Amino acid sequence: MFFLGRIRSKPCTRCGLHVNAREPECWHCKDLTDLQAVYLKKAYTEDVIKKNKGLAALFCKLAAVALVISLAAFLI
């Protein structure tokens, strides 16, 4: 199926980051050693987890506010 403007990507086997499917090699880790690629993958994973924790906290706060507003509307 063709999607206009969408580039197909696949995860790299060394670093796990997504790469254009047409590229012959990953541009994230092609000049890195195996150990450096592992550190790159670990750093990326930790960064994603950190960002997701902040987003999860924001959604919990929004849900709490929505619950308080709903209960206030119900009790009035």
Side-chain angles (χ1 to χ4, degrees), residues 7-63:
I7 297 173
R8 293 188 181 172
S9 64
K10 61 179 179 176
C12 174
T13 56
R14 283 184 71 202
C15 67
L17 299 175
H18 283 269
V19 183
N20 185 349
R22 295 179 185 166
E23 293 290 325
E25 59 187 357
C26 175
W27 58 273
H28 298 104
C29 65
K30 70 178 179 181
D31 296 330
L32 302 177
T33 64
D34 289 336
L35 185 60
Q36 289 173 330
V38 168
Y39 285 136
L40 175 68
K41 184 175 185 176
K42 185 177 179 181
Y44 177 74
T45 304
E46 289 173 356
D47 186 45
V48 168
I49 289 171
K50 185 174 137 183
K51 287 180 182 178
N52 285 343
K53 282 183 181 179
L55 186 62
L58 175 68
F59 279 125
C60 286
K61 290 175 186 175
L62 290 175

